[in-house]
Amino acid sequence: MPVPIPRQRAIPAAESGQASAAFSPGGPSGESTGGPAGHATGGPAEALPAPRAATPVDSTTNLTLLVIEDDPAGSLSVPEMLDAAGKPIRIRTARNLTEAERLLTDDVHCILLDLALPAPGRAAESDDELATLKHVLRLAPRHAVLALTASGDAERGAEAVRVGAQDYLFRDELDGRLLSRAIRYAVERKRSDKAERRLTESRLRAQENARLERGLLPTPLLEGSSLRFAARYRPGRSRALLGGDFYDTVRTADGTVHAMIGDVCGHGPDEAALGVELRIAWRALTFAGMCGDELLSTLQQVLEHERESDEIFATLCTVDIAPDGRRAGLCLAGHPSPLIARPGRPAELLPYENGGPALGLLPGARWPRQQVELGGEWSLMLYTDGLIEGRIGEGNRRLGQDGMVDMVRRQLAEGLEGEQLLRAAVSEVRELNGGELTDDVAVLLLDRMP
């Protein structure tokens, strides 16, 4: 329902116009600053630029009203009006919709439309009483619109508001106070509606992006395995769920558990998309039976075909754990070596001397697969460099792999494990950095307990 406008209320002179006064049209455009609405004189109006968005209103802006009405007798009277700052509201008049389109320049803030105006073209042949209003709303979707109707025809005015007008007025009750206030109200309401619509669209877009990114995060496939899995992920992009880091874990039909973690250089949306492509390719190739050098060589081909620039590369760490859980094959492509923790021994890094280059750097590169003895009980942590490259304090010193190993050793001694361990590790790295980390962080933990 439309918000009713009080018909009689004492309004300070600074807020409203004074007593109604006649005016003379202000030139060929039919623009004036008060009095009865005049028509354009001196022939057809000049062609003006195509309609654009209404000029934003502030304390230095003069409001401009475009009156659209077909009144050969000139009986429609638009009184003198002042805006909230006491400045005259400029009036521009059009006798038909064609002329209105020419006069609807970017300095017009509000349109006063006589609903009695004949509808244009085919719309005139329809039974729709508001065809003219609908045409104006299509013509000026960013402008405030006031509908002018006959006295007592409140039902038609209310219908105009439901269609899209900001408010309606009765033709024979126009006065300076009422109209100036209605114009300001309509302009502010239109601006509020646009702001609310932009906010709603932004929220919907953010929700859709969140659903998309959440759907792209991996779901480990470990059915039938006794290994425990945990992971933490923090993208470096503000308000994002997905970055250039990626990880995955699957169990193949022979009982082998394959784990992977990688990092595309950079952490924007393009890098995130490339990381998802590499992860999906790794999963498909792993289920197809590839591992080690053959798998990484194929992934490098995928990277070379999908990247936007030859300068983009990706680091990668793959681990394939034997069905008995006591041995693993390790391949490193420019990536930090995993950390392993075993009962009675301090946590340490797995061997990294025989690693190969990052994917995308050297054509024809090779990535040797190292055999690693894990033992009967262990925790294996794979991570990206975002976990070790955070600063310590206000200087330029980085945490590094040695600092991370010391940190994890202390947290293990405190009895932390699984999700708690990863949560504590990421939180402490962030605190040491003095705030949010600028790089993506991914950490994956596999545990084998007796």
Side-chain angles (χ1 to χ4, degrees), residues 28-29 44-50 98-99 101-105:
S29 67
E46 297 181 20
L48 295 176
T98 300
E99 188 173 330
E101 186 172 357
R102 295 171 182 165
L103 297 177
L104 190 61
T105 52

Side-chain angles (χ1 to χ4, degrees), residues 153-410:
D153 195 0
E155 183 176 348
R156 190 180 187 190
E159 182 62 24
V161 173
R162 283 192 288 270
V163 168
Q166 272 58 61
D167 215 326
Y168 69 91
L169 301 169
F170 295 135
R171 188 180 296 107
D172 58 353
E173 295 183 7
L174 291 181
D175 60 53
R177 294 183 302 175
L178 178 65
L179 186 55
S180 61
R181 184 174 58 206
I183 293 170
R184 297 198 303 273
Y185 166 80
V187 170
E188 290 303 318
R189 181 176 178 181
K190 185 67 175 181
R191 184 167 61 175
S192 176
D193 289 345
K194 288 194 294 185
E196 183 177 356
R197 184 170 60 253
R198 285 195 298 267
L199 179 60
T200 300
E201 291 173 351
S202 177
R203 286 174 177 170
L204 291 175
R205 191 179 303 111
Q207 292 172 1
E208 185 64 27
N209 288 341
R211 283 194 295 269
L212 174 63
E213 293 187 0
R214 195 175 295 114
L216 293 175
L217 290 173
T219 300
L221 301 178
L222 290 173
E223 184 177 357
S225 173
S226 61
L227 300 183
R228 296 190 309 178
F229 170 88
R232 294 286 289 177
Y233 194 95
R234 289 180 67 93
R237 287 186 295 144
S238 175
R239 297 188 298 276
L241 294 178
L242 200 64
D245 290 3
F246 54 99
Y247 66 89
D248 205 351
T249 305
V250 299
R251 180 177 183 267
T252 50
D254 63 355
T256 303
V257 172
H258 304 261
M260 171 271 290
I261 196 164
D263 181 4
V264 177
C265 64
H267 49 269
D270 292 336
E271 289 77 11
L274 183 54
V276 171
E277 292 182 77
L278 291 174
R279 179 185 68 78
I280 294 174
W282 175 86
R283 176 175 283 200
L285 294 170
T286 299
F287 278 125
M290 287 189 184
C291 67
D293 179 73
E294 182 184 18
L295 173 59
L296 292 179
S297 297
T298 307
L299 285 178
Q300 173 156 283
Q301 294 179 40
V302 173
L303 172 66
E304 291 171 346
H305 282 89
E306 298 295 332
R307 63 185 177 182
E308 293 186 352
S309 167
D310 291 342
E311 298 178 354
I312 294 178
F313 62 90
T315 65
L316 196 69
C317 168
T318 68
V319 176
D320 54 277
I321 303 169
D324 63 5
R326 303 185 67 88
R327 302 176 309 280
L330 171 66
C331 286
L332 296 175
H335 200 88
S337 183
L339 178 146
I340 187 168
R342 289 169 282 208
R345 301 168 59 178
E348 60 183 351
L349 299 176
L350 290 179
Y352 53 85
E353 292 82 4
N354 295 325
L359 303 181
L361 290 184
L362 299 176
R366 288 290 177 260
W367 294 272
R369 178 177 177 273
Q370 307 174 62
Q371 189 72 20
V372 179
E373 294 295 327
L374 301 177
E377 184 178 344
W378 47 264
S379 294
L380 188 65
M381 189 174 83
L382 285 65
Y383 54 92
T384 57
D385 58 7
L387 188 70
I388 60 177
E389 291 188 349
R391 300 180 184 277
I392 300 179
E394 298 180 356
N396 294 323
R397 184 184 170 196
R398 306 282 182 172
L399 176 64
Q401 286 182 291
D402 292 339
M404 181 206 65
V405 171
D406 292 339
M407 177 188 70
V408 173
R409 285 176 178 174
R410 173 170 42 79

